[in-house]
Amino acid sequence: MSVAALLTRSWRRVSGCWAPGAGIRRLSSIADPEIKVCVLGSGPAGFYTAQHLLKHHKSTVVDIYEKLPIPFGLVRFGVAPDHPEVKNVINVFTQTAHLSRCSFYGNVTVGKDVSIEELKQAYHVLVLSYGAETNRILGIPGENLPGVYSGRAFVGWYNGLPENRNLNPDLSSETAVIVGHGNVALDLARILLSPIDLLKKTDITANSLEAIENSKVKRVIIVGRRGPLQVAFTIKELREMIKLPGTRSLLDPNDFEGLRHVVKDLPRPRKRLMELLIKTALESNAGKEAEFQAAATKEWSLRFQRSPLEIIPSNDGERVGGIRLSVTKLKGSAESAVAIQTEDVEDLECGLVLSSIGYKSHPIDPSVPFDQQQGVIPNKLGRVLHAPGMYCSGWVKRGPAGVIATTMNDSFETAESVLEDVQSGILDVSALKGGYKVIEALLKQRGICPVSFSGWEKIDSSEVTKGEKVGKPREKLLTVKEMLEVANQ
């Protein structure tokens, strides 16, 4: 079922999750005073929270703030350009943004242009949905050498995130190493190895398309500290790698010895994933598959139970020349197994290293509780602890994991917590709040010009028009300055 279809159904909570049904309590018929809600962040978490509140309480007015002039967060800047079907959820978010009780204000940086305290004074409810905006570092010697990039920055580069537009990665080496066994790691490998004719039909940025067309990379090694049973990618991404035209899969059969008897007892999604890995490792040299492998000019492989120790510099010391890995042993079983470093090491020669070990949220303001170790806002069902009227949803609530459907479920839970608190009286909404009118006056004083959703639609139209001229879905604007110029036309 599509996300759009999912959102047209009624929902009820079952064992902490949302399930379709007619049993949800609706507050839309209650004649409550107008509730002013401020949502910080316009990614999936922000829009799903807003959508649920607006649908189930007709006295709610939601204002969504975003630091960039454009909405949709990781749907625009995180989803791989060759996955356009995932981006269709933007159509649902656009419907929410067009509701009369919903407004979008881009180009507003909370903490700089306006403070949390000022927003608290202007709104009954603050929902923090600003996601995970930084990357986790490897924390090893040589990590800052030229040729070493975070997966987040590389994804931002080919997806047109303004802060990464000038990354200009060096793709002159034949071998690249990606650290991490998640979906983003496979996205990175797939983009590096994809036939250029496939990428030309996507919304990948023009400068990254040119760089990849001239890339010398033809071998990608994807390294993880644990074993096959603990990989974090899903079967869809794995299948895409296996079927990637012109590229062979090199999986070591020894890595999968003895796993067949374990697979039968795994949960179905993990079982199917493991069966595909085992089949690829053991049967890649048979029949038509052998012909496919022989004709390939590029290759990718998975390296298990390896943890990065240091980045080895090139002979001249000017850039990355390789990576030193510690061989690990696993303690525990299945997905809970922990990797422990041993004294054995392995060196891999390479000229490009991409670190894809996860994203990290940051504290937005000293007044907002934040767990530095977990990288989340402490909360209970989305209620920020010790902060009445403040809620959170998405990655800043639960950590940077899961897909868009996970975020939908998570955001519905937060929205329902808001609605429950309104109905029970825990959340006092009796006082009149100025909402955006108050914030607008402050922004004007500070010379900040917010971008409305109609301003975004001008940007959207401009990008689509430029894309049509070169046979692409869109050609993204890469600077905030360009975006503001188009939005304010």
Side-chain angles (χ1 to χ4, degrees), residues 239-314:
R239 190 177 290 118
E240 287 177 322
M241 286 301 301
I242 293 170
K243 294 183 177 180
L244 192 62
T247 305
R248 70 173 65 91
S249 309
L250 296 180
L251 302 184
D252 186 348
N254 294 325
D255 289 329
F256 302 90
E257 279 188 9
L259 292 185
R260 285 191 184 276
H261 73 281
V262 177
V263 169
K264 58 183 175 56
D265 297 322
L266 295 175
R268 188 169 183 272
R270 176 66 55 171
K271 178 182 178 181
R272 292 176 61 234
L273 173 65
M274 287 305 304
E275 287 174 342
L276 181 57
L277 277 170
I278 293 171
K279 179 181 179 182
T280 304
L282 301 182
E283 301 179 13
S284 59
N285 293 319
K288 291 184 178 180
E289 185 62 29
E291 296 177 16
F292 178 87
Q293 298 272 347
T297 58
K298 298 178 181 180
E299 63 187 44
W300 68 277
S301 62
L302 295 172
R303 194 68 58 93
F304 299 104
Q305 292 183 235
R306 299 292 188 273
S307 180
L309 287 176
E310 65 174 300
I311 305 297
I312 303 170
S314 57

Side-chain angles (χ1 to χ4, degrees), residues 203-218:
D203 66 358
I204 191 171
T205 62
N207 60 338
S208 54
L209 181 65
E210 180 181 3
I212 292 171
E213 186 170 18
N214 295 317
S215 168
K216 302 298 183 185
V217 176
K218 63 180 183 180

Side-chain angles (χ1 to χ4, degrees), residues 63-272:
D63 294 335
I64 302 175
Y65 291 86
E66 168 62 52
K67 70 174 184 177
L68 288 172
I70 51 182
F72 309 133
L74 282 181
V75 179
R76 177 179 169 104
F77 296 118
V79 175
D82 58 348
H83 285 173
E85 71 285 352
V86 180
K87 301 181 185 184
N88 289 338
V89 72
I90 285 175
N91 298 329
V92 177
F93 298 159
T94 297
Q95 292 174 16
T96 297
H98 283 162
L99 296 174
S100 61
R101 292 178 289 122
C102 184
S103 299
F104 168 79
Y105 300 106
N107 196 43
V108 178
T109 302
V110 175
K112 177 185 174 185
D113 302 330
V114 62
S115 70
I116 288 289
E117 186 57 38
E118 288 167 336
L119 291 169
K120 286 170 65 177
Q121 294 298 319
Y123 291 89
H124 296 103
V125 175
L126 264 66
V127 181
L128 306 171
S129 304
Y130 58 86
E133 298 184 336
T134 57
N135 55 278
R136 295 188 181 277
I137 63 171
L138 292 170
I140 59 175
E143 187 169 9
N144 296 321
L145 279 170
V148 182
Y149 310 93
S150 74
R152 179 186 180 277
F154 200 84
V155 170
W157 169 69
Y158 64 62
N159 272 337
L161 186 61
E163 67 186 71
N164 300 130
R165 70 185 185 279
N166 295 323
L167 187 70
N168 192 28
D170 186 345
L171 306 180
S172 61
S173 170
E174 289 190 356
T175 302
V177 170
I178 299 174
V179 180
H181 273 175
N183 279 340
V184 174
L186 265 59
D187 283 347
L188 296 169
R190 194 177 65 255
I191 295 300
L192 281 171
L193 297 174
S194 285
I196 200 67
D197 287 344
L198 293 182
L199 294 179
K200 283 180 178 179
K201 300 173 183 178
T202 73
D203 66 358
I204 191 171
T205 62
N207 60 338
S208 54
L209 181 65
E210 180 181 3
I212 292 171
E213 186 170 18
N214 295 317
S215 168
K216 302 298 183 185
V217 176
K218 63 180 183 180
R219 183 183 305 106
V220 176
I221 305 169
I222 310 170
V223 174
R225 57 190 170 86
R226 299 194 291 171
L229 290 171
Q230 293 82 36
V231 294
F233 52 75
T234 55
I235 194 168
K236 177 181 181 294
E237 280 70 21
L238 174 62
R239 190 177 290 118
E240 287 177 322
M241 286 301 301
I242 293 170
K243 294 183 177 180
L244 192 62
T247 305
R248 70 173 65 91
S249 309
L250 296 180
L251 302 184
D252 186 348
N254 294 325
D255 289 329
F256 302 90
E257 279 188 9
L259 292 185
R260 285 191 184 276
H261 73 281
V262 177
V263 169
K264 58 183 175 56
D265 297 322
L266 295 175
R268 188 169 183 272
R270 176 66 55 171
K271 178 182 178 181
R272 292 176 61 234

Side-chain angles (χ1 to χ4, degrees), residues 312-381:
I312 303 170
S314 57
N315 291 333
D316 59 10
E318 295 295 320
R319 54 169 291 104
V320 59
I323 184 170
R324 177 159 295 157
L325 306 169
S326 166
V327 179
T328 67
K329 62 180 181 180
L330 299 183
K331 183 178 181 180
S333 59
E335 294 182 52
S336 62
V338 176
I340 300 173
Q341 291 185 359
T342 69
E343 294 182 356
D344 295 331
V345 298
E346 177 184 14
D347 290 350
L348 297 179
E349 185 178 335
C350 62
L352 173 67
V353 173
L354 300 178
S355 169
S356 181
I357 58 172
Y359 294 73
K360 188 177 181 181
S361 296
H362 61 83
I364 194 170
D365 185 271
S367 67
V368 180
F370 193 81
D371 184 332
Q372 292 283 0
Q373 185 173 357
Q374 299 295 323
V376 297
I377 295 174
N379 70 92
K380 184 176 182 180
L381 301 178

